[in-house]
Amino acid sequence: MVRANGAVSLRELARVVQTSEVTVRRDVRALEAEGLLDRRHGGAVLPGGFTRESGFPQKSLSATAEKTAIADLAASFVGEGEAIVVGAGTTTQELARRLARVPGLTVVTNSLLVAQALAHANRVEVVMTGGTLRGSNYALVGSGAEQSLQGLRVTRAFLSGSGLTAERGLSTSNMLSASVDRALVQAAAEVVVLADHTKLGADTMFQTVPTDVITRLVTDEPPAQDERAGTELQALADQGVQIAVAGAQTDAGESAPSRPPRRDVPLPGQRRTRGGAGPQRLGPAAGGLEPGAADRGARVADLRRR
């Protein structure tokens, strides 16, 4: 499966082979010891993941359910009449399909896939950058793309990438793609990163968005056994990133039917109520866990439970 897709999540592996994620994780360790793959938080990739980049067919088959849930939630942050930029990637392509319903929207993109998803949306204006076509991800890159973004200002940027860590932020394995993503970020007042749990903790060659520039992360619920993904989420929240988790469950164990499930982790400096009542919100931009909380493990468990 890793050879076919370039990357695969433990959750997908457990489902296909009909066993537990604990068993799959042990087998993945054994395969890594033989040099057949590299482990990543919540999944596995082909060896050499720092520099190797999967092509579009492989990316489109990886974590499809998670990407759909993330796109549903991310679309809820876009309002009528906004101007936004959307970067290249399979997750942003899923987002674009949902943005076709937003009236008066202007989308600036360097992605042919994003533009194609919005091509028949009569109420959405699509502005494409110039540049040189990079066939592996159907994106326009190079100096032409970067120059076309100069002087542009939009409300927010939606970006994906190959990896995300609290230490380095968002990264990718291609230098040209990273350079254009940085230009997209410069044009936006806010930066929203779309990354499924398999990318949490993965670190690739070229940094695109430092952690302190990321306004919000939209991700999916990490598996309960994936403690490292939960720890990475907590570390991102501690640095001021607002965390929105798609697919979070209600107290009754069912997702809210009226809109995509949403959960924001409060920002640092926010007060928490006693008795487990959860975070006390101080305003619409509030987010992150109080840095002084006593036990990181308990905070991560509480984050998953909410």
Side-chain angles (χ1 to χ4, degrees):
M1 288 182 65
V2 173
R3 286 195 186 104
N5 300 327
V8 67
S9 71
L10 295 179
R11 183 181 297 172
E12 289 174 310
L13 286 171
R15 176 181 58 80
V16 170
V17 302
Q18 297 183 347
T19 187
S20 69
E21 291 186 24
V22 174
T23 299
V24 168
R25 186 177 291 108
R26 183 178 64 242
D27 294 341
V28 166
R29 289 197 190 101
L31 291 170
E32 184 182 43
E34 296 178 24
L36 297 175
L37 50 76
D38 288 344
R39 282 188 299 156
R40 289 291 181 267
H41 301 326
V45 299
L46 286 175
F50 252 97
T51 57
R52 184 186 184 279
E53 182 181 28
S54 301
F56 171 75
Q58 291 76 29
K59 290 180 180 179
S60 64
L61 295 173
S62 175
T64 53
E66 289 86 347
K67 291 174 182 177
T68 298
I70 289 169
D72 285 339
L73 178 52
S76 70
F77 297 115
V78 181
E80 179 178 346
E82 281 193 52
I84 63 174
V85 295
V86 179
T90 53
T91 310
T92 52
Q93 180 188 23
E94 287 294 326
L95 170 63
R97 291 177 177 139
R98 288 144 183 83
L99 295 180
R101 301 187 293 267
V102 181
L105 185 66
T106 300
V107 176
V108 180
T109 185
N110 70 317
S111 169
L112 298 187
L113 299 175
V114 169
Q116 182 183 40
L118 295 168
H120 300 291
N122 295 328
R123 298 178 295 177
V124 178
E125 180 179 358
V126 179
V127 179
M128 295 206 66
T129 69
T132 303
L133 177 63
R134 185 167 180 262
S136 61
N137 64 347
Y138 300 95
L140 297 171
V141 297
S143 59
E146 296 171 37
Q147 290 173 9
S148 66
L149 292 166
Q150 292 180 3
L152 182 70
R153 192 63 173 169
V154 297
T155 54
R156 55 181 61 89
F158 291 88
L159 297 176
S160 187
S162 302
L164 177 66
T165 66
E167 181 180 359
R168 289 187 72 215
L170 190 66
S171 62
T172 186
S173 36
N174 181 266
M175 181 174 62
L176 294 175
S177 295
S179 185
V180 174
D181 281 352
R182 286 192 287 268
L184 291 171
V185 167
Q186 291 295 322
E190 297 181 2
V191 177
V192 181
V193 170
L194 313 182
D196 64 77
H197 72 273
T198 64
K199 297 177 182 178
L200 296 176
D203 194 8
T204 51
M205 195 168 184
F206 298 99
Q207 182 191 55
T208 56
V209 189
T211 305
D212 59 359
V213 177
I214 299 173
T215 307
R216 188 189 305 269
L217 165 66
V218 184
T219 187
D220 62 295
E221 188 83 26
Q225 301 89 344
D226 193 354
E227 296 182 1
R228 299 184 72 173
T231 301
E232 200 71 52
L233 281 179
Q234 181 63 58
L236 288 162
D238 287 344
Q239 294 197 38
V241 178
Q242 300 174 46
I243 312 294
V245 180
Q249 301 294 304
T250 64
D251 292 339
E254 298 180 354
S255 297
S258 59
R259 60 175 297 174
R262 170 177 171 177
R263 185 178 65 192
D264 281 339
V265 175
L267 289 173
Q270 182 173 355
R271 296 192 300 274
R272 295 174 59 87
T273 57
R274 297 184 181 275
Q280 176 183 353
R281 300 206 177 267
L282 305 181
L289 298 180
E290 183 179 4
D295 184 84
R296 176 176 295 274
R299 293 204 307 261
V300 171
D302 181 58
L303 182 149
R304 289 204 182 100
R305 185 168 54 252
R306 297 203 308 280

